[in-house]
Amino acid sequence: MAPERFHSVSLLEDRCRGCTNCIKRCPTEAIRVREGKARINADRCIDCGECIKTCDNHAKVAVTDSIERLKDFKATIALPAPSLYGQFDQHGMDDVKSIYRNVMGALMALGFDAVYDVAYAADIASLITRIHIESGVTEKPCISSACPAVVRLIQVRFPSLISHLLPVDPPIQIAGKLAKKTYASKFGIDVRDIGAFL
Ligand code: SF4
Ligand code: SF4
């Protein structure tokens, strides 16, 4: 039996009015109204988050860990994505540097032991992607595997395109592995005792 997939979107039933707006926007027809509530079919959901944006009643929500989860690990690493920095106004290099410093400082103040930028892993993913394209192994035109929702969309709705997907881990996965490995060897700690949080 295939392992149950983790999903990052869930339904708050008491807020759902069964209006069907989210159904119309779901790219994989993963939502069905049953007993007046818009339930998600886990086998078809690609975690694109479109239904979260669509629902005016805020009945579809992103699944997140609470800050208390940090206590479950001996060490924790924050993995800020470029989109986190992009939410602050930037008018030149000085702003960029100060936003970077402030975000880093805020994450450490929250209780993380280290911060590892996903952007570094994105550079590595780009390099591996280029090598794969040049090797000619993957069927052309090649499709990037950087976005997990796109990969899942192809698996669920367009399986004939699977052979066009580049076999490269997404940046977030590369970042998590590298961050844990680096921290583990620096501080002599088992990687299984380290929690990495996006
Ligand atoms: S989740 Fe929101 S958009 Fe979807 S049916 Fe319920 S209330 Fe409507
Ligand atoms: S996250 Fe995307 S695929 Fe999943 S139920 Fe919502 S709209 Fe559909």
Side-chain angles (χ1 to χ4, degrees), residues 36-90:
K37 307 294 177 189
R39 297 176 206 280
I40 299 173
N41 177 339
D43 290 336
R44 294 196 65 81
C45 177
I46 62 168
D47 297 293
C48 66
E50 191 60 33
C51 53
I52 298 178
K53 282 196 284 175
T54 306
C55 180
D56 291 335
N57 297 310
H58 308 290
K60 291 280 194 320
V61 291
V63 177
T64 57
D65 285 313
S66 79
I67 202 73
E68 295 300 307
R69 270 286 277 156
L70 300 195
K71 293 181 186 150
D72 295 343
F73 299 90
K74 282 188 186 157
T76 54
I77 306 171
L79 306 172
S83 53
L84 178 60
Y85 301 106
Q87 292 177 45
F88 301 95
D89 277 344
Q90 299 170 21

Side-chain angles (χ1 to χ4, degrees), residues 84-104:
L84 178 60
Y85 301 106
Q87 292 177 45
F88 301 95
D89 277 344
Q90 299 170 21
H91 305 285
M93 244 358 244
D94 284 348
D95 277 359
V96 172
K97 284 181 192 162
S98 106
I99 289 164
Y100 184 76
R101 271 196 305 272
N102 286 339
V103 168
M104 287 271 195

